[in-house]
Amino acid sequence: MARVLVVDDDATVREVVVSYLRANAHEVVEAEDGETALARHREQPHDLVVLDLMLPGIDGIQVCRQLRQDGDVPVIMLTALGEETDRVVGLEVGADDYVTKPFSPRELALRVDSVLRRVTSPAAPRRLVDGDLLVDEARHEASRAGQVLALTAREFDLLRFLMAHPGTAYSREELLEKVWGWSFGDQTTVTVHVRRLREKIEVDPARPVRLQTVWGVGYRWEAATADDE
């Protein structure tokens, strides 16, 4: 059972989402605005936050930024606008996933379970090493040259998957399925996460060496050479 914080100023939306999540055996806490959400999360941290983008006072973007500064709790963002720019902004500030309103409560519940499974995977932990990059699954931590990287849960999952499969080109659709667990979805999600990950692992994100673009296909991880190290 996970502890989930649902943040939305629409009482009807909160009621439906909370009902579905509790039916899935999660402990659910509600907040109607950003200030209340941050206060409740600081009082007792949650395992995941379902966060509406449009909130009175502090909006969802600011709340997500603050949550990222405070820790690495997974965030699923809700947006009523359905515009690509809003989805990208949410991902850029660290949201791990998003659902566009109007949405199916069942789909949201499945997304919540998917994110939680990836964060708390029971599989035997590994240590993946590639040059100066290290992914420690047991600690759910990645580092570069000994410095811990500030990665979201999805960024960590993407890095872990790519490092475990060097030299193989994956399309955005394949990465959505293998990393996000989605059988459908907006491939912009992958593009944004790749860009964010490059900013944290590449010496020059504009000229990536490790996380390379394969034109017409998608992306490929190139293992470090002795010179790179």
Side-chain angles (χ1 to χ4, degrees), residues 37-196:
L38 290 172
R40 289 181 178 167
H41 183 67
R42 287 163 181 162
E43 289 171 3
Q44 186 173 358
H46 301 79
D47 299 305
L48 183 143
V49 178
V50 176
L51 177 63
D52 188 28
L53 178 65
M54 306 298 290
L55 293 171
I58 304 175
D59 66 19
I61 295 298
Q62 295 302 319
V63 173
C64 189
R65 284 199 178 104
Q66 191 60 59
L67 289 171
R68 282 286 164 260
Q69 292 176 11
D70 294 346
D72 60 355
V73 59
V75 174
I76 296 179
M77 187 149 311
L78 306 179
T79 172
L81 302 179
E83 296 291 338
E84 181 176 332
T85 53
D86 299 299
R87 298 194 296 269
V88 170
V89 169
L91 295 170
E92 289 282 9
V93 298
D96 298 277
D97 204 344
Y98 70 88
V99 176
T100 303
K101 295 180 178 179
F103 58 85
S104 159
R106 181 174 179 275
E107 178 192 351
L108 176 59
L110 291 173
R111 294 284 183 91
V112 167
D113 289 342
S114 174
V115 172
L116 288 171
R117 278 198 304 271
R118 292 180 183 281
V119 174
T120 60
S121 173
R126 298 171 294 174
R127 283 169 58 90
L128 302 172
V129 180
D130 184 1
D132 62 352
L133 281 173
L134 167 66
V135 167
D136 188 330
E137 292 187 336
R139 296 173 61 87
H140 205 268
E141 183 177 272
S143 60
R144 179 172 176 243
Q147 298 297 312
V148 175
L149 299 173
L151 302 180
T152 67
R154 289 298 194 191
E155 289 167 358
F156 179 87
D157 290 342
L158 179 60
L159 177 61
R160 173 174 56 185
F161 177 81
L162 291 170
M163 283 181 62
H165 302 87
T168 302
Y170 291 97
S171 67
R172 293 172 180 81
E173 182 179 6
E174 289 173 323
L175 290 173
L176 274 178
E177 180 178 354
K178 295 179 181 297
V179 178
W180 276 258
W182 300 0
S183 57
F184 61 91
D186 186 352
Q187 296 179 14
T188 302
T189 300
V190 176
T191 305
V192 172
H193 278 77
V194 165
R195 181 167 66 247
R196 287 175 55 85

